[in-house]
Amino acid sequence: QVQLVESGGGLAQPGGSLRLSCAASGSIFDINAMGWYRQAPGKQRELVAIITNSGLRNYADSVKGRFTISRDSAKNTATLQMNSLKPEDTAVYYCKIVHFGSDYWGQGTQVTVSS
């Protein structure tokens, strides 16, 4: 059993910053990748950023240069530093890990960017 717990969402003003954290626990042996996805109202869930166990990072074009994903493999945690936030970043953000070929999702954390 694998559990993911996200934290760090909330309200930010345009141009502000937020930091999301994801902690994986349970029967974890080898996480292939950790990533963040988001889903805005009325829209499909989309990839925001992902980092592999070799440190390779991939970002959505809309967040490149503003968001940074990192992970601590020893602690099974991942963070998403979000800077220069825009109203269009408003969404529920989900952490996902790939573990032995299976996807595991967190419960989601709300990020709202508004003045």
Side-chain angles (χ1 to χ4, degrees), residues 39-43 90-92 110:
Q39 187 166 19
K43 295 186 177 181
T90 295
V92 178
Q110 177 70 45

Side-chain angles (χ1 to χ4, degrees), residues 85-101:
L85 284 163
K86 302 176 181 180
E88 50 263 44
D89 294 320
T90 295
V92 178
Y93 283 69
Y94 298 90
C95 176
K96 188 189 91 169
I97 68 169
V98 180
H99 183 248
F100 281 106

Side-chain angles (χ1 to χ4, degrees), residues 3 16 20 34 54-56 61 71 88 96 100 109-110 112:
Q3 298 86 35
L20 304 183
M34 300 185 77
S54 61
L56 184 66
D61 288 343
R71 68 184 281 184
E88 50 263 44
K96 188 189 91 169
F100 281 106
T109 184
Q110 177 70 45
T112 302

Side-chain angles (χ1 to χ4, degrees), residues 2-115:
V2 176
Q3 298 86 35
L4 300 179
V5 177
E6 300 132 333
S7 60
L11 176 65
Q13 292 188 339
S17 298
L18 285 173
R19 184 180 179 91
L20 304 183
S21 296
C22 174
S25 62
S27 301
I28 296 173
F29 300 99
D30 184 24
I31 298 175
N32 302 111
M34 300 185 77
W36 289 94
Y37 292 71
R38 67 187 180 187
Q39 187 166 19
K43 295 186 177 181
Q44 289 188 333
R45 192 172 296 188
E46 62 176 0
L47 171 70
V48 176
I50 192 166
I51 182 168
T52 68
N53 56 3
S54 61
L56 184 66
R57 295 170 171 83
N58 191 34
Y59 296 94
D61 288 343
S62 60
V63 306
K64 284 181 180 177
R66 300 188 298 121
F67 291 10
T68 302
I69 188 170
S70 59
R71 68 184 281 184
D72 184 330
S73 297
K75 297 181 179 179
N76 293 324
T77 60
T79 59
L80 184 69
Q81 179 66 42
M82 305 185 294
N83 298 327
S84 302
L85 284 163
K86 302 176 181 180
E88 50 263 44
D89 294 320
T90 295
V92 178
Y93 283 69
Y94 298 90
C95 176
K96 188 189 91 169
I97 68 169
V98 180
H99 183 248
F100 281 106
S102 295
D103 294 345
Y104 296 88
W105 292 89
Q107 79 284 358
T109 184
Q110 177 70 45
V111 170
T112 302
V113 183
S114 175
S115 55

